[in-house]
Amino acid sequence: DARVTQTPRHKVTEMGQEVTMRCQPILGHNTVFWYRQTMMQGLELLAYFRNRAPLDDSGMPKDRFSAEMPDATLATLKIQPSEPRDSAVYFCASGLEGSGKNTGELFFGEGSRLTVL
Amino acid sequence: SQKIEQNSEALNIQEGKTATLTCNYTNYSPAYLQWYRQDPGRGPVFLLLIRENEKEKRKERLKVTFDTTLKQSLFHITASQPADSATYLCALDTGGFKTIFGAGTRLFVKA
């Protein structure tokens, strides 16, 4: 049963600490997305990758956030230093895009709930 | 900038009735539009996709319409059940598989 796996599921940290969230996309998917969800803003797109290359990270605060794909099985989202306003649920999603292959469907992980005190 | 609007107020309906949720968008012409379901504490789950050249799509008790002139999609759940209670998210492809979401509408189906 293929699924997107995210770790950690929950993280409580203090302001100023570094936070790293990890995502294992579904094997064979070539596009990976990072979203942030809050009550106020809903589901915001932070960044997305195609074949491990970043395509768009315009939704991400560049001064403290960074996203990478060290290999095809791992995507990371790092916040350094973290701030209370970063408290949210961070979702990773993956999909398959390409000529004739794009079904449009995104598969989401269960999210990483971050609380910054 | 691209904007997706969904009714932020919760929708409360009686079991057996049809629920209708609205998604409006501006400033873009998406190749397709999607609807997802999200339960508390879970990630969104894909339900339906409708392309710009399709007017209507059905899947079991679900029906989606897509009016590219009005820039609107309607999502219907017929014969609603308490198990349909969830948040429903509308999503657009803004090009190159870049997908953005509305804030969602919470649906409560009362037995």
Side-chain angles (χ1 to χ4, degrees):
Chain A
D1 182 27
R3 59 186 177 134
V4 175
T5 303
Q6 290 187 246
T7 57
R9 289 296 312 279
H10 302 275
K11 175 75 175 179
V12 179
T13 192
E14 293 191 348
M15 183 173 63
Q17 296 298 305
E18 177 178 301
V19 175
T20 299
M21 289 167 275
R22 294 177 173 82
C23 168
Q24 181 176 358
I26 291 174
L27 188 65
H29 282 184
N30 61 1
T31 309
V32 175
F33 302 77
W34 283 106
Y35 291 89
R36 175 172 64 185
Q37 188 172 42
T38 62
M39 289 292 291
M40 293 299 294
Q41 299 295 330
L43 201 58
E44 300 173 275
L45 178 62
L46 298 176
Y48 81 115
F49 295 77
R50 171 86 34 75
N51 297 321
R52 296 175 54 201
L55 286 189
D56 189 331
D57 61 2
S58 59
M60 204 164 67
K62 303 290 192 309
D63 56 338
R64 300 182 299 107
F65 284 59
S66 62
E68 295 179 341
M69 280 201 74
D71 61 62
T73 65
L74 177 64
T76 62
L77 180 66
K78 187 177 294 186
I79 307 174
Q80 167 63 17
S82 57
E83 297 181 1
R85 60 180 167 152
D86 301 329
S87 298
V89 182
Y90 291 81
F91 286 102
C92 175
S94 70
L96 181 61
E97 199 272 349
S99 56
K101 292 184 288 186
N102 182 11
T103 65
E105 178 178 356
L106 299 189
F107 294 79
F108 280 80
E110 297 288 42
S112 293
R113 179 176 293 276
L114 174 65
T115 302
V116 184
L117 303 174
Chain B
S1 62
Q2 178 66 27
K3 190 174 177 182
I4 303 174
E5 290 185 352
Q6 294 186 254
N7 193 339
S8 58
E9 292 189 13
L11 180 63
N12 291 280
I13 64 168
Q14 197 69 33
E15 181 177 12
K17 301 292 186 185
T18 295
T20 299
L21 285 67
T22 304
C23 174
N24 295 293
Y25 60 93
T26 58
N27 299 337
Y28 197 71
S29 299
Y32 57 82
L33 182 149
Q34 304 175 63
W35 284 89
Y36 287 75
R37 169 183 172 141
Q38 186 174 24
D39 291 289
R42 310 296 298 274
V45 174
F46 173 80
L47 294 174
L48 279 169
L49 178 150
I50 185 165
R51 300 192 183 275
E52 59 181 339
N53 60 348
E54 298 174 316
K55 293 278 192 244
E56 182 179 298
K57 198 81 161 286
R58 292 176 185 260
K59 179 183 175 183
E60 298 173 352
R61 294 183 297 110
L62 308 181
K63 184 178 86 171
V64 173
T65 63
F66 192 10
D67 188 325
T68 56
T69 302
L70 291 179
K71 294 187 181 291
Q72 181 181 78
S73 174
L74 298 179
F75 176 78
H76 306 272
I77 305 176
T78 59
S80 59
Q81 305 166 359
D84 296 326
S85 299
T87 296
Y88 291 87
L89 303 165
C90 169
L92 297 181
D93 165 55
T94 62
F97 207 12
K98 179 179 178 180
T99 305
I100 62 173
F101 284 77
T105 298
R106 292 199 70 183
L107 172 67
F108 294 97
V109 181
K110 190 163 61 174

